[in-house]
């Protein structure tokens, strides 16, 4: 969806009516540092939306998924994420998540510094 934007640093899609994000929607956005998806209608979120995204340790990502209707967090569609994004700050507040799966957290654990559940 956002291909051929290798220098994109910030993407703000908040306050829309998004209810699904297709697999690999944010692929190859290697410099993405801020992705704001708050105030949408997302039910599920999978790390499979990222592929080769934010892989540089000097530019980790802030991912805001707050104020959705999230119930499920998935590491990827097939249960394993080969190249998870380097997420440093993750906001999941104001959703309907009853638990954060271990595989989801493990995929992000190397760089995650702040988690707002």
């Amino acid at each position: 969806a956002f291909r051929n934007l290798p220098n994109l640093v910030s993407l703000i899609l908040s306050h829309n009516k998004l209810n699904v994000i297709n697999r690999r929607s944010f692929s190859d956005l290697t410099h993405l540092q801020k992705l704001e998806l708050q105030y949408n209608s997302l039910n599920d979120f999978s790390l499979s939306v990222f592929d080769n995204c934010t892989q540089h340790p000097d530019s980790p990502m802030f991912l805001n998924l707050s104020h959705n209707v999230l119930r499920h967090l998935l590491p990827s569609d097939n249960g394993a994420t080969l190249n998870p994004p380097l997420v440093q700050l993750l906001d999941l507040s104001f959703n309907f998540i009853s638990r954060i799966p271990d595989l989801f957290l493990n995929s992000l654990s190397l760089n995650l510094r702040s988690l707002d559940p």
Side-chain angles (χ1 to χ4, degrees):
F2 296 97
R3 294 181 190 261
N4 299 320
L5 298 170
N7 296 315
L8 187 69
V9 174
S10 179
L11 181 57
I12 300 171
L13 298 171
S14 56
H15 296 277
N16 286 289
K17 294 180 181 175
L18 299 174
N19 57 16
V20 173
I21 298 175
N22 292 329
R23 188 172 188 270
R24 300 189 64 180
S25 290
F26 307 114
S27 295
D28 299 319
L29 299 178
T30 57
H31 291 82
L32 188 64
Q33 294 177 11
K34 181 194 289 188
L35 178 55
E36 296 193 14
L37 294 167
Q38 68 271 28
Y39 293 99
N40 280 294
S41 299
L42 297 172
N43 286 310
D44 301 319
F45 185 80
S46 172
L47 292 178
S48 65
V49 301
F50 303 110
D51 185 27
N52 195 32
C53 179
T54 312
Q55 295 294 315
H56 299 290
D58 57 332
S59 60
M61 184 191 324
F62 168 58
L63 176 57
N64 191 342
L65 294 167
S66 66
H67 297 275
N68 279 282
V69 290
L70 285 173
R71 294 184 186 281
H72 303 103
L73 298 171
L74 307 166
S76 73
D77 291 340
N78 62 8
T81 302
L82 298 175
N83 293 314
L86 300 178
V87 176
Q88 190 170 49
L89 305 167
L90 176 59
D91 190 344
L92 297 169
S93 59
F94 301 99
N95 280 291
F96 298 98
I97 301 167
S98 58
R99 77 181 215 30
I100 301 172
D102 289 341
L103 283 174
F104 184 88
L105 276 180
N106 289 342
S107 295
L108 302 175
S109 65
L110 290 177
N111 293 289
L112 193 62
R113 299 290 177 255
S114 178
L115 173 64
D116 191 352

